[in-house]
């Protein structure tokens, strides 16, 4: 069958069962948008390409399906870069399709030309510059395969305008054959047996689950391992929801803003069972002092992550779900009763700063959102900063894919467009975006997108008038010298929302929190809640950068 290149793109997306694309048109993708016009694929027009990238990212995390983005050449493509890097750092499958100037003009500094394949080489799992229309079917088949297998991640396809207009034979491949790409899926049986013996022999084991638990859909098997072995579980920020937050074996998040129980347990463990995580510096603290008494088992799909930051005694490269399923066939529980008693005592030491009911504190607001949404399927997205860590500490995530946030890159401005993507992927869910007043203003223009498509996300802005996390570090580590962290001049967010036709709710006292949340939940469309919280609240517990995990500041007595 003969097709234009732009028609091939649409047909390829239909073969990949893509139903929604996020994007922003421009001159170099006019043929593509013309072909999209007659397609059944839904297009969400954002107000900025970065918004489209984050929306597709949120769509992918909430659904487990790859997100898709369209953008034009030059500035359209470069506006995607932060979104691409964000997806790369958190291993999110997104296929980015960009227009490019026609092939005779490539390299001539033509209007809106940018070398987007060169620019994104370090932040994509793979990218393509298509110069022959006949290559389009194979490239799209490969792109979706690469994005969604092994360690997942973004793939970019750059298509010159003349290639979009060219005509060629379209036969969509059923399979792919990429000689240099063979992810290891099955963990080595001998290593899995060693893993089972080490767990049986351990008296103080701790499981650390990461984002790989969520992306591989292995939470059920991780919970089975924990419960049969009576092994306490901590999760990294990216792993939250991997096991239910209410489970008695759950210790909370680990690391810089981890709980005392999680951090102390890792420091006294004799065995670390690391599952689908990468020993990020926010998780380990000082590498030299991390888990000083423990042997380490590390299971991960990406061999490059094993041994990168932490020496590993039993490395296992493979899919987390398949490895855990195989482990359970040979698994025998050890003796952990005394260990669990010791951990129980640490749990009683937790101090969360949410006990003061007289002022409007963020932990109390997030706990109220968590409590008032227990009866419904809820997805929470966040921006980046203090509110993100408070959400990790105070929202009880019971299911995987219910937390959507920027973990690795830490992208301010991510949460709101990601909420639009998550809500599009899961229309039956209630979607909350918990944001800061600084973060929200980085992609505030997407209020138009939410209003235009009546996407009913509930935005909860923790408005403290500061770039809160930076201010906290300035207070703790720079003598309270607040250099350029005061957000004077911010707008009235309720009036901004109302200007877009969106309901706005202002909250300035603790007694109005639940009323505001319930009112937002009753609105059929999008809502912006503007919580005027205490200006200088700090997120505790906290471990100072590059310090041992058991040197915890908990906020009491100013420490």
């Amino acid at each position: 069958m003969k097709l234009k290149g732009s028609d091939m793109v649409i047909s390829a997306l239909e073969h990949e069962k893509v139903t929604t694309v996020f994007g922003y048109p421009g001159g170099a993708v006019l043929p593509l948008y013309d072909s999209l016009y007659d397609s059944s694929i839904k297009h969400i027009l954002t107000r900025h390409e970065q918004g489209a990238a984050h929306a597709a990212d949120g769509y992918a995390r909430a659904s487990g399906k790859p997100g898709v983005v369209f953008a034009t050449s030059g500035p359209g493509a470069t506006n995607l870069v932060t979104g691409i890097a964000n997806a790369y750092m958190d291993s999110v499958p997104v296929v980015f399709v960009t227009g490019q100037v026609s092939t005779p003009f490539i390299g001539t500094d033509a209007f809106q030309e940018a070398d987007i394949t060169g620019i994104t080489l370090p932040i994509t799992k793979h990218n393509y510059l298509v110069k022959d229309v006949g290559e389009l079917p194979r490239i799209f088949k490969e792109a979706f395969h690469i994005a969604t297998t092994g360690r997942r991640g973004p793939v970019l396809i750059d298509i010159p305008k003349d290639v979009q207009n060219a005509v060629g034979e379209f036969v969509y491949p059923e399979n792919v054959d990429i000689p240099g790409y063979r992810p290891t899926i099955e963990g080595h049986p001998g290593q899995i047996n060693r893993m089972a013996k080490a767990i049986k022999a351990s008296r103080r084991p701790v499981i650390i689950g990461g984002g790989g638990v969520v992306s591989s859909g292995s939470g059920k098997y991780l919970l089975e391992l924990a419960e049969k072995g009576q092994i306490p579980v901590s999760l990294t920020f990216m792993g939250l929801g991997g096991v239910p937050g209410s489970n008695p074996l759950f210790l909370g998040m680990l690391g810089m803003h981890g709980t005392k129980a999680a951090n102390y347990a890792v420091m006294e463990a004799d065995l670390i069972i690391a599952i689908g995580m990468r020993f990020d510096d926010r998780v380990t603290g000082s590498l030299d002092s991390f888990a000083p008494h423990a042997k380490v088992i590390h299971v991960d799909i990406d061999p490059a992550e094993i041994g990168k930051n932490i020496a590993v005694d039993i490395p296992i490269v493979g899919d987390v779900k398949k490895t855990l399923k195989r482990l359970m066939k040979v698994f025998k529980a050890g003796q952990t009763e005394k260990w669990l008693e010791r951990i129980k005592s640490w749990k009683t030491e937790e101090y969360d700063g949410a006990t003061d009911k007289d002022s409007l504190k963020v932990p109390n607001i997030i706990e109220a959102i968590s409590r008032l949404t227990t009866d419904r399927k809820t997805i929470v997205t966040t921006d980046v900063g203090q509110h993100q860590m408070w959400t990790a500490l105070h929202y009880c995530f019971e299911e995987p894919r219910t937390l959507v946030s920027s973990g690795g890159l830490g992208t301010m401005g991510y949460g709101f467009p990601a909420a639009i993507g998550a809500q599009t992927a899961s229309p039956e869910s209630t979607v909350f975006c918990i944001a800061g007043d600084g973060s929200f203003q980085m992609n505030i223009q997407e209020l138009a997108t939410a209003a235009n498509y009546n996407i009913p996300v509930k935005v909860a802005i923790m408005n403290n008038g500061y770039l809160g996390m930076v201010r906290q570090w300035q207070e703790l580590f720079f003598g309270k010298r607040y250099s350029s962290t005061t957000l004077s001049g911010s707008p009235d967010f309720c009036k901004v929302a109302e200007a877009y036709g969106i309901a706005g709710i202002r909250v300035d006292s603790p007694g109005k929190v639940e009323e505001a949340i319930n009112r937002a939940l009753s609105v059929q469309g999008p809502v912006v809640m503007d919580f005027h919280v205490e200006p200088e609240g700090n997120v505790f517990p906290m471990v100072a950068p590059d310090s041992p995990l058991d040197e915890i500041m908990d906020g009491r007595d100013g420490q």
Side-chain angles (χ1 to χ4, degrees), residues 354-376:
T355 53
D356 179 2
K357 305 299 182 185
D358 296 329
S359 61
L360 191 52
K361 289 180 175 290
V362 178
N364 293 333
I365 298 168
I366 293 172
E367 286 180 1
I369 294 173
S370 183
R371 186 172 62 255
L372 295 172
T373 55
T374 53
D375 63 342
R376 61 182 71 205

Side-chain angles (χ1 to χ4, degrees), residues 206-524:
V206 174
I207 296 170
I208 306 174
V213 174
V214 175
S215 62
S216 66
S218 58
K220 169 186 172 184
Y221 303 100
L222 186 68
L223 185 61
E224 182 183 358
L225 170 63
E227 290 186 331
K228 285 190 175 178
Q230 285 299 287
I231 304 170
V233 184
S234 178
L235 296 170
T236 70
F237 178 68
M238 294 302 299
L240 291 174
V243 298
S246 60
N247 190 288
L249 291 168
F250 181 55
L251 302 176
M253 187 175 70
L254 173 73
M256 178 175 281
H257 289 288
T259 65
K260 285 187 175 181
N263 285 7
Y264 287 165
V266 165
M267 294 299 282
E268 293 203 13
D270 66 1
L271 181 68
I272 298 294
I273 308 163
I275 308 288
M277 53 86 71
R278 59 187 179 90
F279 293 107
D280 173 79
D281 61 296
R282 291 299 173 99
V283 166
T284 62
S286 166
L287 285 172
D288 292 338
S289 63
F290 180 78
H293 312 294
K295 287 186 175 180
V296 177
I297 300 168
H298 192 182
V299 181
D300 202 277
I301 191 75
D302 185 355
E305 289 297 342
I306 294 181
K308 186 175 77 175
N309 296 327
I310 294 290
V312 176
D313 298 282
I314 304 178
I316 301 176
V317 178
D319 176 77
V320 168
K321 183 194 287 186
K322 287 182 177 293
T323 300
L324 289 176
K325 288 175 74 173
R326 188 154 193 157
L327 172 69
M328 295 315 297
K329 294 179 180 177
V330 294
F331 173 79
K332 292 181 180 176
Q335 295 176 6
T336 62
E337 294 84 357
K338 292 182 180 177
W339 178 228
L340 291 177
E341 282 300 315
R342 181 149 177 72
I343 285 173
K344 192 175 179 181
S345 69
W346 290 328
K347 286 188 173 183
T348 64
E349 297 180 20
E350 300 291 352
Y351 172 76
D352 60 17
T355 53
D356 179 2
K357 305 299 182 185
D358 296 329
S359 61
L360 191 52
K361 289 180 175 290
V362 178
N364 293 333
I365 298 168
I366 293 172
E367 286 180 1
I369 294 173
S370 183
R371 186 172 62 255
L372 295 172
T373 55
T374 53
D375 63 342
R376 61 182 71 205
K377 183 179 179 183
T378 304
I379 297 171
V380 175
T381 76
T382 79
D383 266 303
V384 170
Q386 287 182 308
H387 66 276
Q388 181 189 35
M389 293 298 101
W390 272 314
T391 301
L393 290 166
H394 297 283
Y395 192 95
C396 185
F397 293 96
E398 295 284 61
E399 300 284 342
R401 299 195 182 281
T402 55
L403 171 63
V404 174
S405 188
S406 174
L409 196 63
T411 307
M412 291 176 67
Y414 170 83
F416 182 42
I420 290 172
Q423 185 76 81
T424 304
S426 185
E428 74 282 7
S429 297
T430 297
V431 177
F432 269 85
C433 168
I434 298 176
D437 45 332
S439 288
F440 186 63
Q441 291 183 77
M442 286 198 170
N443 271 312
I444 194 171
Q445 77 284 346
E446 300 307 333
L447 284 168
T449 308
N452 187 33
Y453 296 95
N454 195 30
I455 297 171
V457 297
K458 315 304 179 192
V459 181
I461 301 171
M462 303 299 133
N463 186 350
N464 59 9
Y466 282 106
L467 295 173
M469 188 61 89
V470 185
R471 184 211 56 75
Q472 177 172 337
W473 282 47
Q474 289 174 337
E475 177 186 336
L476 297 176
F477 309 123
F478 291 88
K480 211 171 183 180
R481 289 157 56 87
Y482 293 165
S483 178
S484 300
T485 42
T486 304
L487 287 175
S488 55
S490 293
D492 182 325
F493 293 111
C494 291
K495 288 185 177 177
V496 172
E498 288 162 4
Y500 282 100
I502 292 173
I505 304 172
R506 179 187 172 102
V507 184
D508 51 17
S509 70
K512 296 180 180 178
V513 170
E514 291 199 8
E515 176 188 341
I517 296 169
N518 282 323
R519 185 178 156 200
L521 289 170
S522 71
V523 174
Q524 297 301 308

